[in-house]
Amino acid sequence: MSAKVAIICLCYNHEKYVEEAMESVLNQTYASELIVVDDASTDNSVDKIRNFIKQHPEENINSMFFDENIGNCKAFNAALMTTDADYIIDLAADDVLLPTRVSEGTKNLDVNPSVAINFTNAEYIDEYGRFIKSHYLTDQKGMAKERILEGDVFKELLQRYFICSPTMMYRASFLKRIGGYDEELAYEDFDIMLRLSRSNPFSYTDKVLVKKRVLKASMSTKQYKKGNKQLESTLKICKKAFLMIQSEGEKKALLRRIVFEAKQAFIHKRFLLFSAFINLGVKTILQK
C-alpha cells in the first residue's frame, strides 16, 4: 500500500505566488493531499485560493482560513492535526515543488523507517522565478559537488545552516510525537531539525527537487533587525539545545553557534540579546 503524503501550504500575503505553489502540488507524479492554510492574509490571497479550489473540484484539496494572524508555527500545527498522512511537507506559498519531490521522498523514507527527515538540493529563485543559484553547488549532471552529511546530523546542525528547510519531508509520526512545531517561537526550522535529529537520522536525496523563492521582504532578510522576534527565538532554541548536548564535540558546536548569534546581536545593536547569548556561552563553557 502506498504511503499517504500531505503537503501543508502556508500562505500569508502571497497572492502573487500561491497559485503556482498549489499547482506544483497537483503536478506531482505521486498524488498527495493538499492542505492550504491562509493565516489572515490582507491581500487577495484568499480569493486566489478559493478560486483555485473551485477550478480543481476533483483534486484532494482541503483548506483552512484564519480570521486572525496566528503565525506559521500555530497554523502549521493546526493543519497537521487534521491529517493522518504518513509523510508531511511544509510548503511556503511562495516556493515551488518540482514534479518528483514527493515520489523521491516516499521512495527514500519507505526503505529507511528510522529516518525522521528526508532533504534534497534546491534552487533559489527571485520574485520573477529566475534562477539565482543552487543550495549545494552542482556538477554538469546536477549532482552536489560536495559530500552532503546525512545520518546523525545533530552536531552539524548546531553549528551551521546546511539543510535547505523547504526541501524537507517529515515522517509524520515522529513529528507528531514531539508535538509538532514549537508555537512559542517566531520560526520553526532550526528548532524542529534539532529536536528530530537528536533521536533520529536524516537522509539526503541528491537532486534539485524544490525551488525556494528569495524575496526582499522575506523573514530571513530581516531576522536580525530591531523588533524582529527571530533572534529572540534563536536564543530560546540555543537554550533548549544546551539541555540536549551529550558530548564535548556537541558542546563546541553549540558554542560556535552562540558566538555567531552573539556577534549578529552586537552588530545589529540588540544588546540585551547579546548579553543573553554571552551568558549562555559562559554557562555552556562551564558545563561539565
Side-chain angles (χ1 to χ4, degrees):
M1 182 178 176
S2 298
K4 186 179 178 184
V5 181
I7 299 172
I8 299 173
C9 181
L10 297 176
C11 180
Y12 178 67
N13 289 348
H14 287 125
E15 65 175 346
K16 293 181 181 179
Y17 312 111
V18 64
E19 291 170 309
E20 184 180 6
M22 292 188 291
E23 193 70 49
S24 77
V25 176
L26 302 191
N27 288 338
Q28 291 298 302
T29 59
Y30 188 109
S32 308
E33 174 189 14
L34 169 59
I35 307 173
V36 58
V37 184
D38 185 83
D39 193 14
S41 291
T42 57
D43 62 3
N44 199 37
S45 293
V46 171
D47 287 341
K48 296 270 188 178
I49 294 167
R50 293 191 188 280
N51 288 336
F52 185 89
I53 294 173
K54 287 180 181 179
Q55 291 167 12
H56 299 87
E58 74 288 355
E59 300 291 348
N60 186 9
I61 306 176
N62 294 301
S63 58
M64 302 176 72
F65 300 95
F66 291 104
D67 295 327
E68 295 182 3
N69 183 266
I70 61 174
N72 274 12
C73 294
K74 289 183 179 180
F76 176 86
N77 283 349
L80 178 64
M81 292 302 105
T82 69
T83 182
D84 60 355
D86 297 312
Y87 306 133
I88 303 289
I89 289 177
D90 178 353
L91 175 65
D94 55 350
D95 293 337
V96 178
L97 300 178
L98 295 183
T100 61
R101 172 62 192 109
V102 173
S103 62
E104 290 287 349
T106 56
K107 181 171 66 176
N108 182 285
L109 290 170
D110 282 350
V111 298
N112 294 292
S114 66
V115 166
I117 286 177
N118 170 253
F119 65 101
T120 77
N121 202 353
E123 287 183 357
Y124 292 92
I125 58 174
D126 67 12
E127 59 183 314
Y128 303 106
R130 296 176 300 202
F131 174 81
I132 300 173
K133 65 176 183 177
S134 57
H135 183 72
Y136 306 120
L137 292 177
T138 59
D139 59 22
Q140 293 181 339
K141 296 181 179 179
M143 310 286 282
K145 290 184 176 181
E146 62 181 292
R147 176 183 171 273
I148 309 304
L149 180 66
E150 53 184 335
D152 182 0
V153 297
F154 178 79
K155 184 176 78 171
E156 196 65 18
L157 286 169
L158 273 177
Q159 62 188 351
R160 73 182 181 101
Y161 169 77
F162 78 96
I163 294 176
C164 182
S165 55
T167 73
M168 298 191 302
M169 179 185 279
Y170 300 101
R171 190 177 301 277
S173 59
F174 292 1
L175 184 59
K176 289 180 177 179
R177 185 177 65 197
I178 64 170
Y181 292 166
D182 184 341
E183 297 182 1
E184 299 300 315
L185 300 175
Y187 71 103
E188 73 290 333
D189 49 1
F190 182 30
D191 174 70
I192 201 69
M193 283 191 276
L194 286 182
R195 288 194 285 139
L196 285 171
S197 66
R198 177 70 286 176
S199 302
N200 295 96
F202 288 12
S203 63
Y204 173 67
T205 297
D206 194 15
K207 296 181 180 182
V208 173
L209 296 174
V210 176
K211 292 184 178 182
K212 174 178 169 56
R213 201 178 304 270
V214 180
L215 302 173
K216 293 179 181 178
S218 67
M219 289 178 63
S220 60
T221 62
K222 302 182 291 184
Q223 61 181 312
Y224 295 113
K225 299 295 178 66
K226 194 170 184 179
N228 189 286
K229 295 182 179 180
Q230 282 193 271
L231 189 56
E232 184 179 343
S233 288
T234 300
L235 175 63
K236 291 179 181 178
I237 298 167
C238 287
K239 288 180 177 179
K240 291 166 72 172
F242 172 81
L243 300 175
M244 289 190 274
I245 55 177
Q246 298 175 357
S247 69
E248 190 65 23
E250 291 174 359
K251 177 179 175 178
K252 290 178 180 179
L254 177 57
L255 281 170
R256 292 189 188 99
R257 168 71 67 166
I258 290 170
V259 168
F260 173 81
E261 301 296 349
K263 285 181 178 178
Q264 297 304 315
F266 186 84
I267 290 169
H268 292 88
K269 299 181 180 180
R270 309 286 297 276
F271 297 123
L272 288 177
L273 286 174
F274 169 74
S275 177
F277 275 112
I278 294 301
N279 289 338
L280 180 59
V282 172
K283 184 178 179 181
T284 304
I285 291 170
L286 296 176
Q287 185 194 47
K288 295 183 180 180

